[in-house]
Amino acid sequence: MSGSMVSIEKIKQKDIAALSRAITLNESTIIEDNLLVDELLRDATRSENKSIIISISGIPGVGKSSFIEVFGTYLHRLGFSIAVFSIDPSSELSHGSILGDKSRMTELSRLKNVFIRPSPNSNKLGGIGINTYKNIEIAKLAGFDIILIETVGVGQSETLVKQLSDIFILLQMPSSGDELQGIKKGIMEMADFFIIHKADGDLKIAAEKSKKEIESALHLTRDEDMTGRIFTFSSIDKIGLELIWTSVLTYFESQKEKGEVALTRKNQEKYWAEESFFQLLQKHYAHKFKGELKVLLDKIDNGVFVGASDMLSIFSKSNGPNG
Amino acid sequence: MSGSMVSIEKIKQKDIAALSRAITLNESTIIEDNLLVDELLRDATRSENKSIIISISGIPGVGKSSFIEVFGTYLHRLGFSIAVFSIDPSSELSHGSILGDKSRMTELSRLKNVFIRPSPNSNKLGGIGINTYKNIEIAKLAGFDIILIETVGVGQSETLVKQLSDIFILLQMPSSGDELQGIKKGIMEMADFFIIHKADGDLKIAAEKSKKEIESALHLTRDEDMTGRIFTFSSIDKIGLELIWTSVLTYFESQKEKGEVALTRKNQEKYWAEESFFQLLQKHYAHKFKGELKVLLDKIDNGVFVGASDMLSIFSKSNGPNG
């Protein structure tokens, strides 16, 4: 992609083409493209921004998209502009499930002032990386009121999800057993809100039971009071959406007042800067040591064992006698 | 940990203490410890090894541990020695679920010639890294007949799981809906075997239905014939275990005959060598540029935007005028 600049004015008007272009530049593998996005963000991140960033996480099949469709449409009706980022490394927004995917956010995607962006390609960090953070920065620059991030969360990526959002909502399946199946300690300690989803029909009773289980588990594992932050919900019945939103907003406002939101965002900026630093470092030196790496891999092809000591000698040699 | 050598003889006797010590050295953050493990593996990886490495993947709650308990106990009865690695970044073997975890592999863990190792601590690669690969190499050196790897698989880490094992078994929940909930394209294309688990009681019919759905989905998405590689199973009823094992073994043997197993393992060795190369590179230069990184992070603390260009200038400066 050639590097003509994206109009910051158009982005601030939430122009879909300009937003998409900025995101494409950000996700480009060409460093010059990425630098253009940095240029774009240079002033933006410094300015006051009004966005609330909410991540919606949960295991596959829990109904994250259905929830976001219902929740987003509700928020839109309240007058908010909304950006949705779907971060699922192995599916795209339109090609998620094997058997077709007609029901994913169809209503939401038709609304004005709503921008929906599917996930970037899979990478080792579970689809979440510096690009994701910068995509959200672009949406903040555009001035979306609410930014929703859909992530698969099964205890692998919760730390990264925390580094992206102000609020972390975990969707949970109603459990019919005696155990909190599939809910891991890590994620249990990190989520700000718990929603037992699919609380309709035959699963209604199980959902209520799960709610009680989660309440008592949280009581044991969390220091802070989680009262009023655990809900059952059905994206079919849609009852109780107002209560959920009010609770989220109240919590966000109180965190903001305490200075927690600003602190979290500053730490996130530092986290991703460090991440970016190491990524660039790796890119730079991977290029520099391309030949040496090939020699090592050829050795393996020839049945020779290659260990860390073989590698370490390469790096220290390049640094001269003083390391 | 100080660096006294682990006895290769004791490891080959499957001595638990020696195995545990080798794994601890491997997972140590001290490079000298890691080098000792390399020394241990230097000859080992070159020798013929008889282990079959099978990964068992699936979403949380699908019953991976119960399946491994039943499957492992069955294989043990057939006379095989077994190593189990549980790679779940947010839980440990004994502290996995919130509400206690008494039922995890109790029978299996009491048997002779069975070595069970819980997951290392969480890291960004979803718990799977060069350490995991080398742990498996240690188990291969010890001569375990079958090495089982338990991994959370939801489309984030399937590529990594593929880089660890000969055979990839995906456990799937019986689905009551019309859709293959929670089964993503990526994992669908990578698994060698599909087992619809919990096919008992009320879920028996749903499991059979899911089997048919998966069969037709695979027919659409996979080039190779998947007949005889999709099963329903109950770890309570335990019916059909022999058939599953025979199919896995037959498939493995045919892959081995075609030279696929050797090729896969060689490629895995190269993959992890490259991974290790970049990890060491990062460690080496992170140390070298520690001061520069701190300056950048301090800038952020002071409200200054830090972008890729600020970072790039650091690396190119260090390389002198000739890059």
Side-chain angles (χ1 to χ4, degrees), chain A residues 3-8 11 22 25-26 31-46 134 138 141, chain B residues 305-310:
Chain A
S4 75
M5 195 51 195
V6 184
S7 152
I8 198 161
I11 286 181
L25 285 171
N26 183 35
I31 184 82
E32 285 74 21
D33 290 344
N34 311 153
L35 289 173
L36 286 175
V37 176
D38 273 6
E39 217 45 59
L40 198 69
L41 295 175
R42 190 168 286 277
D43 305 313
T45 48
R46 300 281 72 74
K134 286 200 174 164
I138 293 168
L141 169 63
Chain B
F305 177 85
V306 168
S309 57
D310 305 290

Side-chain angles (χ1 to χ4, degrees), chain B residues 209-220:
Chain B
K209 209 180 140 205
S210 296
K211 182 172 179 265
K212 286 204 180 62
E213 282 178 358
I214 290 176
E215 277 169 347
S216 57
L218 288 176
H219 192 66
L220 293 170

Side-chain angles (χ1 to χ4, degrees), chain A residues 34-85:
Chain A
N34 311 153
L35 289 173
L36 286 175
V37 176
D38 273 6
E39 217 45 59
L40 198 69
L41 295 175
R42 190 168 286 277
D43 305 313
T45 48
R46 300 281 72 74
S47 64
E48 181 70 27
N49 85 69
K50 56 170 185 170
S51 310
I52 305 177
I53 306 154
I54 304 172
S55 55
I56 318 281
S57 204
I59 63 168
V62 75
K64 292 180 290 295
S65 325
S66 323
F67 178 76
I68 289 177
E69 162 91 343
V70 169
F71 191 48
T73 308
Y74 168 80
L75 294 173
H76 185 266
R77 216 178 303 132
L78 296 182
F80 295 119
S81 57
I82 295 155
V84 180
F85 291 96

Side-chain angles (χ1 to χ4, degrees), chain B residues 1 5-27 37 40-41 81-85 112-118 131 134-144 147:
Chain B
M1 169 159 305
M5 194 52 195
V6 184
S7 153
I8 198 161
E9 292 317 311
K10 286 212 161 163
I11 286 181
K12 285 190 172 170
Q13 289 159 27
K14 302 181 183 61
D15 179 272
I16 302 286
L19 278 166
S20 300
R21 177 151 165 70
I23 286 172
T24 305
L25 286 171
N26 182 35
E27 290 175 352
V37 176
L40 200 67
L41 294 174
S81 56
I82 294 154
V84 180
F85 292 96
K112 206 174 151 9
N113 282 329
V114 170
F115 177 75
I116 300 185
R117 179 78 183 192
N131 288 349
K134 287 202 174 164
N135 280 346
I136 293 166
E137 289 292 308
I138 293 166
K140 277 157 82 176
L141 169 62
F144 284 100
I147 301 171

Side-chain angles (χ1 to χ4, degrees), chain A residues 73-141:
Chain A
T73 308
Y74 168 80
L75 294 173
H76 185 266
R77 216 178 303 132
L78 296 182
F80 295 119
S81 57
I82 295 155
V84 180
F85 291 96
S86 176
I87 304 162
D88 185 342
S90 64
S91 74
E92 292 187 15
L93 212 57
S94 49
H95 310 101
S97 83
I98 304 284
L99 303 177
D101 214 1
K102 279 174 242 158
S103 62
R104 280 178 70 90
M105 305 183 198
T106 42
E107 195 180 340
L108 189 60
S109 59
R110 276 197 298 261
L111 298 173
K112 206 174 147 13
N113 282 329
V114 169
F115 177 75
I116 300 185
R117 178 80 183 190
S119 60
N121 286 333
S122 175
N123 68 34
K124 281 177 203 157
L125 293 170
I128 300 173
I130 177 78
N131 288 348
T132 314
Y133 177 71
K134 286 200 174 164
N135 280 347
I136 294 166
E137 288 293 309
I138 293 168
K140 277 157 83 176
L141 169 63

